[in-house]
Amino acid sequence: MVLDSHMHVGDFPYFGVSIDRDGLVATMREHGVATGMVFHPDHQLVRDIIGRTPGLYGLVWVNPRMPDAVTTLVDLLDEPGSRFRGVKLHPLLDGYHPDDPMVHPVMEVLRERRLPVLIHCGHPIFSLPWSIEELIRRFPDVSVILGHMGHGNIVYINASIDVAARNPRVYLETSGMPMHSKIREAVERVGPDRVLFGSDAPFHHLSVELAKVRVSGLPDPVTDAVLGENGQRLFFGAMTPDVVG
Ligand SMILES: [Zn+2]
């Protein structure tokens, strides 16, 4: 099974892209993606979509600058039948240092619930791997996913792999990172179970993102782990997620 650990829903005029619930389901079916993790700053939009769509689960987009960020997060994670399986942080868009003290209560919520956080990684000034590592070292028992594993800049890509190599609870997520060779290198440096497939749909095309993993030169069982099993274990533990119909 393929699990996409990084999907968006909504309109993004700055980027010229847009996708709604039906569009997400259609592209997942077309490309053989069974389960997707979706997020948007509008929690109710995501809650509604994941609540009525088998195969879609959510990460709570937390902006720690909001005074009700932690109470809202706890409500969304703890509500009966919740389909939220962790947190998305975007320090660049929301404007804070990853290790700002206002982020720490969010990490404590995740530590208590053994849920991961996906952090946008690859742009100055607020989402560089070294800054995120300050937070990682403060919360070594929380699983942190470096979203885009450094994105388009080779210096940040190499640094993201270094951060994961130094910190055993760090995962590298492949979306938007252009170099297939760095996916194989990531597996060789950090092991086969800490590299995760993500597409960043609709910003990047699922066919391109899947091909990047498949041509990266990994043995087939490791390709399967990157494309699905690693994300399934990280977000769902022993539970089996449902799949898109
Ligand atoms: Zn994204």
Side-chain angles (χ1 to χ4, degrees):
M1 63 85 78
V2 176
L3 184 148
D4 190 335
S5 55
H6 191 145
M7 304 189 97
H8 297 268
V9 66
D11 300 322
F12 308 95
Y14 182 74
F15 296 90
V17 293
S18 173
I19 197 164
D20 61 9
R21 180 255 182 207
D22 292 347
L24 268 181
V25 168
T27 195
M28 288 169 73
R29 281 191 189 130
E30 184 184 346
H31 296 96
V33 175
T35 303
M37 313 304 295
V38 61
F39 30 87
H40 187 282
D42 182 342
H43 302 127
Q44 291 312 320
L45 171 76
V46 177
R47 182 172 170 273
D48 169 61
I49 289 171
I50 62 181
R52 61 191 173 91
T53 313
L56 283 182
Y57 292 83
L59 301 180
V60 181
W61 185 305
V62 176
N63 178 356
R65 302 175 72 92
M66 295 294 125
D68 62 345
V70 173
T71 53
T72 301
L73 171 63
V74 168
D75 287 350
L76 289 167
L77 291 177
D78 293 355
E79 113 178 285
S82 173
R83 290 172 67 84
F84 285 102
R85 303 298 308 161
V87 160
K88 159 71 180 275
L89 293 176
H90 207 313
L92 176 72
L93 272 186
D94 291 332
Y96 56 91
H97 189 283
D99 191 35
D100 190 287
M102 67 189 173
V103 180
H104 301 165
V106 176
M107 297 295 278
E108 278 153 20
V109 168
L110 293 172
R111 179 164 60 195
E112 283 164 16
R113 288 159 185 75
R114 298 176 183 278
L115 290 173
V117 55
L118 188 154
I119 307 179
H120 179 95
C121 174
H123 293 94
I125 55 175
F126 288 131
S127 66
L128 295 178
W130 308 278
S131 311
I132 299 171
E133 190 177 24
E134 294 176 31
L135 182 72
I136 289 164
R137 296 182 80 88
R138 192 181 300 279
F139 292 92
D141 44 0
V142 176
S143 295
V144 174
I145 305 157
L146 298 179
H148 316 295
M149 56 182 286
H151 221 290
N153 182 314
I154 186 64
V155 176
Y156 306 154
I157 297 165
N158 285 344
S160 296
I161 298 172
D162 290 343
V163 167
R166 286 195 288 266
N167 297 280
R169 298 292 292 266
V170 173
Y171 292 73
L172 297 163
E173 181 265 301
T174 58
S175 67
M177 191 282 294
M179 299 177 67
H180 65 281
S181 55
K182 287 292 172 183
I183 296 175
R184 191 185 66 234
E185 182 184 324
V187 167
E188 288 166 358
R189 296 258 330 267
V190 311
D193 53 352
R194 289 200 284 136
V195 181
L196 298 181
F197 169 68
S199 72
D200 204 13
F203 299 98
H204 301 285
H205 203 282
L206 257 173
S207 61
V208 176
E209 295 296 326
L210 285 164
K212 215 172 62 188
V213 177
R214 288 178 172 141
V215 303
S216 64
L218 295 171
D220 287 348
V222 180
T223 300
D224 291 344
V226 170
L227 288 179
E229 293 150 20
N230 293 346
Q232 182 168 335
R233 196 172 51 250
L234 179 60
F235 293 109
F236 298 97
M239 167 190 159
T240 303
D242 52 36
V243 301
V244 82

